[in-house]
Amino acid sequence: METILTIENLNKRFGAVHAVKNVSLEIKKGNVYGILGPNGSGKSTTLGIVLNVVNKTSGEYRWFGGTMETHEALKKVGAIIERPNFYPYMTAQENLELVCKIKGASYNKVAEKLEVVGLLDRKDSKFRTFSLGMKQRLAIASALLNDPEILILDEPTNGLDPQGIRQIRDIIKTIASQGTTILLASHLLDEVEKVCSHVLVLRKGEILYSGKVDGMISNEGFFELQSENINELMSALQNHPAIEKMELEEGKLVVYLKSALEAKDINKYLVEKGIYLNHLVKRKHSLEEQFLQLTNKN
Ligand code: ADP
Ligand code: MG
């Protein structure tokens, strides 16, 4: 799969604040990536660096495999990192035509992109008459005018009512289904879970998790197990149908589930194989809980 953006060991310091710490991420064509983290975790700073509006302190990023200069590469990127700002007394159509002129896109893109965001019937309304949700949708249409390879959105649903949130999420899904790669920053676990295929979880600039969304939110939960002989324990569980994967962590075996399995059942299963546990804990949604706790502190 084609690589759109590679970030390697990126760091950003604002004086004493280490806002981004050794962040790495590889963005492949066609996926939807979320950067998830509470306020102040370094999401906007990371986006600002790759969009060349914030200077990095150290580390690297490469657009499209490093085959072109950043300013050339950014012509193939659509980004909304600030509150949408258009001319209030101009219509949606007029505002987007102006953007076409600046970006060198054809005017017939305007209707196509207004359609994508559900604003075609409001093309002749003045920008100042738009709700916040409509303004945000117009900004998305604007970012799409030059058919970018990737669309970057920073907190796209902030400040919107539930209906507005729903519309934006549906639009993002539609755009993704048409093959545009998406990178969005959000402090909402729910949003990332609903919209993204991959996620980078940040806390105080550091990566807590990086990978598929499915892997982060394991619905069935996981076990922490210990016995006298960990290898024996691992091989006993190797072919258990409910087990997704196993990892050794600090002397404990962490067993991730793909289907429901109760503590008493795994215990019985092991006893029947002559294995006696000295530690058995079942946990659920650990990262989700951790994430929500972090968010609530702010
Ligand atoms: P997020 O987007 O996840 O809310 P930010 O990237 O905006 O987080 O901020 C990360 C950290 O960097 C915060 O501690 C913030 O206060 C700090 N920060 C961001 N921009 C600046 C700046 N221009 N000057 C100083 N500190 C900044
Ligand atoms: Mg931010």
Side-chain angles (χ1 to χ4, degrees):
M1 220 192 290
E2 196 183 317
T3 299
I4 303 275
L5 173 65
T6 309
I7 300 176
E8 281 170 354
N9 295 315
L10 205 61
N11 282 278
K12 177 64 188 179
R13 293 176 193 269
F14 294 104
V17 179
H18 199 168
V20 177
K21 295 178 193 163
N22 287 320
V23 166
S24 298
L25 177 66
E26 176 136 342
I27 293 190
K28 301 267 189 188
K29 192 177 170 70
N31 291 330
V32 181
Y33 294 82
I35 301 182
L36 176 65
N39 290 330
S41 57
K43 304 181 297 294
S44 298
T45 303
T46 304
L47 296 184
I49 292 170
V50 300
L51 291 170
N52 209 16
V53 294
V54 174
N55 291 323
K56 67 187 184 186
T57 301
S58 68
E60 296 297 329
Y61 66 91
R62 283 188 302 279
W63 283 103
F64 307 105
T67 51
M68 57 183 86
E69 296 285 326
T70 299
H71 75 277
E72 276 304 309
L74 291 177
K75 290 181 184 165
K76 303 208 279 177
V77 176
I80 307 166
I81 54 171
E82 284 167 353
R83 281 248 162 278
N85 220 343
F86 292 94
Y87 288 98
Y89 290 95
M90 276 163 56
T91 65
Q93 175 82 28
E94 289 163 349
N95 268 295
L96 292 195
E97 284 182 0
L98 191 59
V99 177
C100 283
K101 210 178 262 179
I102 295 163
K103 289 189 174 181
S106 143
Y107 281 5
N108 58 30
K109 288 284 171 189
V110 172
E112 179 191 323
K113 302 309 177 187
L114 284 173
E115 173 88 65
V116 172
V117 301
L119 284 177
L120 192 54
D121 59 341
R122 295 296 303 270
K123 71 184 174 65
D124 296 320
S125 300
K126 290 189 168 49
F127 178 71
R128 65 176 179 84
T129 67
F130 279 9
S131 69
L132 189 59
M134 291 164 77
K135 288 176 176 171
Q136 188 66 352
R137 279 148 60 200
L138 189 68
I140 294 176
S142 168
L144 292 173
L145 285 170
N146 57 339
D147 292 317
E149 287 277 342
I150 179 170
L151 179 64
I152 298 182
L153 305 161
D154 194 359
E155 307 275 5
T157 61
N158 254 13
L160 303 188
D161 61 14
Q163 194 197 0
I165 291 173
R166 178 71 190 270
Q167 285 169 331
I168 295 284
R169 289 181 184 170
D170 286 346
I171 289 165
I172 294 172
K173 284 191 217 167
T174 305
I175 296 165
S177 72
Q178 292 165 354
T180 304
T181 310
I182 292 173
L183 172 60
L184 77 87
S186 175
H187 67 285
L188 304 169
L189 178 73
D190 173 52
E191 180 151 293
V192 169
E193 195 185 344
K194 286 202 171 95
V195 173
C196 301
S197 56
H198 293 71
V199 63
L200 183 76
V201 182
L202 292 183
R203 176 185 57 181
K204 295 182 183 160
E206 271 178 297
I207 297 178
L208 276 188
Y209 175 86
S210 179
K212 289 194 172 175
V213 169
D214 301 348
M216 178 181 78
I217 304 145
S218 167
N219 288 321
E220 301 298 342
F222 61 90
F223 287 109
E224 272 179 25
L225 307 177
Q226 257 178 334
S227 69
E228 291 295 306
N229 186 333
I230 288 274
N231 290 331
E232 196 183 58
L233 176 61
M234 277 179 92
S235 57
L237 292 172
Q238 204 69 57
N239 296 316
H240 194 291
I243 292 172
E244 169 86 28
K245 60 171 181 171
M246 297 186 268
E247 279 171 10
L248 271 176
E249 270 176 31
E250 292 166 6
K252 292 188 187 109
L253 186 65
V254 182
V255 177
Y256 295 91
L257 302 176
K258 56 186 168 194
S259 57
L261 185 63
E262 292 305 319
K264 70 172 175 27
D265 296 321
I266 196 167
N267 201 11
K268 181 162 176 280
Y269 181 86
L270 289 167
V271 166
E272 282 167 1
K273 290 179 177 283
I275 294 172
Y276 298 91
L277 295 167
N278 49 34
H279 177 85
L280 166 60
V281 180
K282 186 169 185 186
R283 296 193 198 280
K284 225 175 177 183
H285 296 308
S286 85
L287 211 94
E288 182 177 11
E289 282 166 2
Q290 210 178 332
F291 176 74
L292 289 174
Q293 273 175 5
L294 290 167
T295 322
N296 290 339
K297 278 185 201 153
N298 279 279

